[in-house]
Amino acid sequence: MATLTAITRPTGEELVDCELTHIDRSPIDFERARVQHDEYLSVLRRLGVDVVELPRLPQHPDAVFVEDTALVLPEVAVLLRPGAESRQGEVASVAEALAAYRDCFFMEAPAALDGGDVIVFGKQVLVGQTTRSNELGIQALAGLVEPFGYTVVGVPVRNVLHLKSAATVVDEETLIVYSDCVDLGFLGASLLEADPDEPQGANVVRIGDALLADASAPRTIAMLEARGERVVGVHVDEFGKAEGAISCQGLIFDS
Ligand code: CIR
């Protein structure tokens, strides 16, 4: 059976200096963030995921959000160029780690694209058009992944940092969305709605037969459970103050 690997990175006091785009700065308890990150790693390990922890990068406040640095497909890894300058130095060490698993390609300036803007849904790669991901980034990604049979589509996103802040994959036919921020009707896929009062509920992570969901989204979790999902609630509210969610904390792929 294929093993899932998660590339992750610890955080520390640097998190309080994180980038913020759509929300105001509020005090971040980095010790509590560390506890929540460790809880997330424990959940992954309990579900059989092989967890790789990269060294902490104290000079990069947002380095815990490794999802933004790369796109890992079954065929290839694309090392991205994050749209925030403060984050571009996070990529090199992720590239070193990914080289053990995939052929790696690199996105070059002036293209910019954050992994949090990328949803892979079958052979469709949806890319959020946000403050972090520009048209050159979308074109560059298309050039790198279309040879492997993928189609890359830009998707307008409103009022949130990333596409994946507002939509993620539940299964091969289904996504969960927070429709105030993104319209995915054009996909013709089955779309579940996060509860209107729980935008954070739209960020889930599939690990085998389990679905990680934000523990602070009980109504969305109840909706997912009612449709037969085995949901594991994960606490990430300390990261929410940094505009992060569950998926941001790991690059998870078949290895
Ligand atoms: C940032 O602004 O880059 C970080 N404070 C949050 C990144 C969250 N990443 C993600 O949603 N994939």
Side-chain angles (χ1 to χ4, degrees):
M1 202 178 82
T3 308
L4 281 179
T5 292
I7 293 185
T8 67
R9 193 190 308 271
T11 190
E13 58 263 37
E14 63 275 13
L15 184 63
V16 304
D17 295 319
C18 65
E19 295 279 348
L20 288 176
T21 307
H22 292 279
I23 63 173
D24 291 332
R25 198 165 294 276
S26 61
I28 294 179
D29 179 342
F30 65 86
E31 292 291 5
R32 191 162 173 270
R34 272 211 275 247
V35 170
Q36 293 189 342
H37 182 70
D38 287 347
E39 175 198 335
Y40 160 80
L41 297 185
S42 301
V43 167
L44 292 182
R45 290 191 176 108
R46 209 168 64 228
L47 293 171
V49 178
D50 183 20
V51 173
V52 175
E53 289 187 87
L54 301 181
R56 200 178 132 206
L57 289 180
Q59 69 279 31
H60 290 287
D62 287 303
V64 65
F65 302 119
V66 287
E67 174 181 59
D68 295 319
T69 59
L71 172 64
V72 186
L73 297 171
E75 303 86 352
V76 68
V78 180
L79 280 304
L80 301 170
R81 182 169 173 273
E85 203 181 335
S86 70
R87 304 205 52 193
Q88 290 165 0
E90 300 170 23
V91 177
S93 56
V94 174
E96 275 174 36
L98 281 176
Y101 302 93
R102 297 287 192 277
D103 289 338
C104 292
F105 293 98
F106 289 79
M107 187 171 282
E108 310 282 349
L113 201 144
D114 278 12
D117 273 325
V118 184
I119 293 177
V120 180
F121 188 59
K123 284 288 190 180
Q124 297 194 77
V125 179
L126 313 177
V127 183
Q129 293 162 318
T130 65
T131 58
R132 297 295 175 82
S133 299
N134 62 24
E135 285 308 312
L136 290 173
I138 295 173
Q139 285 167 25
L141 187 66
L144 291 168
V145 305
E146 285 183 356
F148 299 98
Y150 294 90
T151 305
V152 177
V153 184
V155 180
V157 175
R158 302 174 290 274
N159 305 325
V160 278
L161 181 60
H162 287 133
L163 174 60
K164 288 183 78 173
S165 317
T168 44
V169 173
V170 172
D171 62 34
E172 283 173 10
E173 287 99 39
T174 315
L175 295 105
I176 184 164
V177 297
Y178 188 71
S179 300
D180 282 3
C181 298
V182 65
D183 301 316
L184 292 180
F186 71 92
L187 277 176
S190 156
L191 298 180
L192 304 175
E193 292 283 342
D195 185 274
D197 294 328
E198 298 176 348
Q200 70 278 23
N203 186 269
V204 299
V205 175
R206 166 69 63 191
I207 305 285
D209 70 349
L211 204 56
L212 310 193
D214 191 321
S216 72
R219 286 191 285 268
T220 306
I221 289 177
M223 177 275 290
L224 291 165
E225 287 176 338
R227 90 185 269 285
E229 292 291 351
R230 173 186 164 212
V231 180
V232 181
V234 179
H235 295 94
V236 283
D237 51 286
E238 213 52 52
F239 292 100
K241 298 177 194 171
E243 286 183 290
I246 304 174
S247 67
C248 330
Q249 295 182 55
L251 278 165
I252 301 177
F253 51 86
D254 276 322
S255 47

